[in-house]
Amino acid sequence: MKYLLLIHSNPANWAHPMFLHQDEELTEEQRTARMAQFTELINELAETGELRYSAPLAEPEHSRMVRVRDSVPVVTDGPFVDAKEHLAGFFVIDCADEQRALAIAARFPDAAHGGVEVRPIA
């Protein structure tokens, strides 16, 4: 079954979203540990064939929202919501079931300080 994992993180430091922490900067040792954790997970998912596609997203300031009102497209900056976190990237995985998808999501370093949304792909 295919799932979309949506990575939510704080864009305060865009060096790499998974290095962000809500309250403190990471040391070089912490950054290295997170990168190793992330690399191990991605390599495992590639080896098992569960990783189908992934991509980071550009900074939120480059987002545009298109709404059609009275048959006229209206383009605005955004969407801007009153939140520290934003959608930073996504992964499409193909795994046995929801429990496996949730287990994979929990292993992303982003889950510790941001969030990883898990959605089935219809």
Side-chain angles (χ1 to χ4, degrees):
M1 185 157 189
K2 290 188 177 144
Y3 292 89
L4 179 65
L5 305 182
L6 301 166
I7 308 298
H8 296 271
S9 69
N10 183 331
N13 172 357
W14 198 251
H16 196 295
M18 77 175 171
F19 294 146
L20 300 175
H21 187 286
Q22 298 290 342
D23 302 317
E24 63 189 49
E25 288 193 30
L26 296 176
T27 66
E28 189 60 36
E29 184 176 287
Q30 290 169 317
R31 285 177 185 261
T32 300
R34 279 203 190 170
M35 195 62 194
Q37 179 184 353
F38 178 75
T39 301
E40 180 182 334
L41 175 60
I42 296 308
N43 287 342
E44 176 188 317
L45 295 175
E47 287 173 14
T48 63
E50 293 172 302
L51 179 62
R52 295 295 185 211
Y53 185 77
S54 66
L57 300 176
E59 296 90 334
E61 65 215 37
H62 298 293
S63 297
R64 302 294 177 260
M65 177 63 75
V66 178
R67 293 180 173 93
V68 177
R69 300 296 183 261
D70 297 321
S71 299
V72 177
V74 177
V75 179
T76 59
D77 290 345
F80 295 111
V81 294
D82 190 20
K84 290 182 180 177
E85 295 177 351
H86 75 287
L87 182 59
F90 65 91
F91 293 79
V92 175
I93 60 171
D94 191 352
C95 57
D97 54 31
E98 181 181 46
Q99 289 308 107
R100 174 66 178 149
L102 295 171
I104 291 169
R107 291 181 57 199
F108 276 86
D110 309 87
H113 302 288
V116 179
E117 182 179 347
V118 178
R119 281 190 164 175
I121 296 177

